[in-house]
Amino acid sequence: TVNVYLMGMLGPNNDGIARSLIRWIKDEHPGFEPRAILDMGCTVGHSTLAYCDAWPNATIHAIDIGGPCVRYAHARAEGMGKRVHFSQQNAEHTDFPDGSFDLVVSHIMMHETSTKALANIFAESRRLLRPGGIMMHADGIAEKADPFDKYMAEWMAHYNNEPFLGTLQDLDLPNMARDAGFSHNRVFETRIPSVGAAERGANGKSANGKGKAPGYAWYTIAATK
């Protein structure tokens, strides 16, 4: 249903957000070679598997609070020949030791949480990162300067079972990351162009029916440790 809902914007394997982040990392940090990667809120592992292809020598973990999700994710990954360590865990408080990962990511997870949970997730991301590691949390947050996008976010909150989406638009996420312990000058927010949307647009078919797909970008709050 993700493929239908987004009209193919995430690509044939629904991994377009991860591939967008991976391309950005490789462009902006060409020498970065993570040995251990954590995908938070992985659901059935759509985004997770892209990291297996990007860094085949890395150890990849993925967590979700839903047991059925990670069980299916494991079966799906095995069926696709990908090696991932899935476990049922809450991203706010994991059982991994300090400094376990070089890269901590999530893909459209933030709007499924809460203000309190998000603060905990940022703090947990920092705890889990090794020195020089990168945190990246991507979501479909509206452009603050676009009143129509803001309206649609509020509509989704009230009428499409996305109760936190409206509040998320108004949070100062960079300051929340700093409050979680990241250095002020190592926190940034950006919009990463969507690989899947661009591919969809290249085929002459807009992902949203409005001709905007090739320019779509994922809001990302990021930090380095």
Side-chain angles (χ1 to χ4, degrees):
T1 58
V2 171
N3 198 45
V4 174
Y5 181 74
L6 293 178
M7 299 183 70
M9 193 172 75
L10 298 184
N13 291 323
N14 290 322
D15 61 357
I17 309 176
R19 290 190 293 119
S20 302
L21 267 59
I22 290 165
R23 183 175 67 178
W24 186 92
I25 292 170
K26 292 195 172 188
D27 286 346
E28 298 295 324
H29 301 271
F32 184 66
E33 290 290 333
R35 294 170 294 152
I37 300 169
L38 174 63
D39 182 15
M40 292 179 159
C42 67
T43 59
V44 298
H46 286 149
S47 294
T48 312
L49 301 192
Y51 295 92
C52 298
D53 298 327
W55 290 289
N57 295 322
T59 300
I60 298 174
H61 287 261
I63 62 172
D64 197 274
I65 202 166
C69 288
V70 292
R71 285 194 291 273
Y72 181 84
H74 171 74
R76 181 177 180 271
E78 289 293 309
M80 296 175 71
K82 311 295 184 184
R83 179 61 59 88
V84 177
H85 302 281
F86 291 98
S87 57
Q88 183 180 8
Q89 296 196 55
N90 186 334
E92 296 180 67
H93 306 287
T94 72
D95 63 10
F96 301 110
D98 293 358
S100 293
F101 299 100
D102 303 293
L103 178 62
V104 174
V105 296
S106 76
H107 315 82
I108 55 175
M109 177 190 71
M110 288 194 293
H111 77 271
E112 304 289 359
T113 63
S114 67
T115 303
K116 180 180 178 181
L118 203 50
N120 291 335
I121 288 167
F122 288 165
E124 183 69 353
S125 297
R126 183 183 180 279
R127 182 185 75 80
L128 293 174
L129 283 175
R130 295 166 178 158
I134 301 174
M135 171 189 84
M136 299 187 77
H137 296 293
D139 216 309
I141 299 179
E143 291 278 5
K144 295 185 183 298
D146 189 325
F148 179 75
D149 280 355
K150 289 281 287 179
Y151 166 80
M152 287 304 298
E154 292 293 341
W155 187 94
M156 295 276 280
H158 289 281
Y159 300 110
N160 196 34
N161 198 31
E162 299 286 5
F164 186 53
L165 190 58
T167 301
L168 182 62
Q169 319 296 320
D170 300 321
L171 293 178
D172 188 336
L173 296 176
N175 270 341
M176 287 183 68
R178 295 182 183 105
D179 288 343
F182 285 101
S183 299
H184 278 237
N185 62 346
R186 294 192 175 187
V187 176
F188 58 95
E189 55 185 348
T190 186
R191 287 190 176 271
I192 296 178
S194 170
V195 171
E199 293 168 348
R200 187 70 165 159
N203 292 331
K205 299 177 181 178
S206 168
N208 60 8
K210 299 179 182 178
K212 295 173 63 177
Y216 191 84
W218 297 103
Y219 170 87
T220 304
I221 175 70
T224 58
K225 186 173 181 181

